[in-house]
Amino acid sequence: MALIVEIIIGVIIAIVIYELIHRTIVQRATRIVRRSAQDETDVAVKAALQRLVNEDVLTESECQIEAAETVADVWGRGVMSFEYSFPAALDTERRLPELEQAFNQALASFSADHQVKSVVKGSAFVVSDIWVYTGELHLDVAYLMNESTVEYLKDLKKLDDPAVK
């Protein structure tokens, strides 16, 4: 009887150790992919900002990135969406639809120019949300590199659809 108990305890310990090691490896791989995606998105956003400055859509002072954070922790593993914040001008809130369109066009141009791969046809980067809060323009940019991110965008559209509410 003692031998059976020892075997069961040994099997349980082996399973726990396996799960811990597996979880650590998966989390590390996810962090590496997310970091790479954020680096690529950072480059795309900075290029889009420079294009918007060149086209006089934004001023140089409005394009100082104050933060870049991942949105994935809220929405789940595999979602490659990142939030950026910039100082907002006085009329920024009124111009949100224009700014969203301009950012999307600039990001699409960057995607095409640099042949950034996407799981959907079109731009690899999309503005998923834009808003002004406490004097800052906040911009969520999704990198459509996997199905999880595409599903995330579909979920956001459902939330914005008044027919669903």
Side-chain angles (χ1 to χ4, degrees), residues 62 64-69 83-87 136-139:
E62 292 175 300
Q64 303 305 313
I65 295 177
E66 293 183 9
E69 299 176 14
E83 180 183 335
Y84 300 87
S85 61
F86 319 93
E136 291 184 334
L137 173 65
H138 294 265
L139 182 74

Side-chain angles (χ1 to χ4, degrees), residues 82-141:
F82 308 97
E83 180 183 335
Y84 300 87
S85 61
F86 319 93
L90 293 176
D91 67 338
T92 300
E93 195 159 359
R94 179 183 58 78
R95 297 174 46 214
L96 284 179
E98 169 196 340
L99 289 173
E100 181 176 9
Q101 183 179 12
F103 268 110
N104 276 325
Q105 288 174 348
L107 290 167
S109 175
F110 177 87
S111 293
D113 292 347
H114 293 87
Q115 299 173 347
V116 180
K117 298 211 183 319
S118 170
V119 294
V120 295
K121 194 168 187 146
S123 178
F125 303 100
V126 175
V127 174
S128 57
D129 201 2
I130 187 170
W131 71 99
V132 175
Y133 180 70
T134 64
E136 291 184 334
L137 173 65
H138 294 265
L139 182 74
D140 283 357
V141 177

Side-chain angles (χ1 to χ4, degrees), residues 27-47:
Q27 285 178 339
R28 183 172 183 268
T30 301
R31 278 193 307 270
I32 290 169
V33 170
R34 186 181 301 147
R35 183 75 235 160
S36 174
Q38 185 168 358
D39 290 345
E40 290 183 46
T41 306
D42 289 350
V43 170
V45 168
K46 287 176 184 173

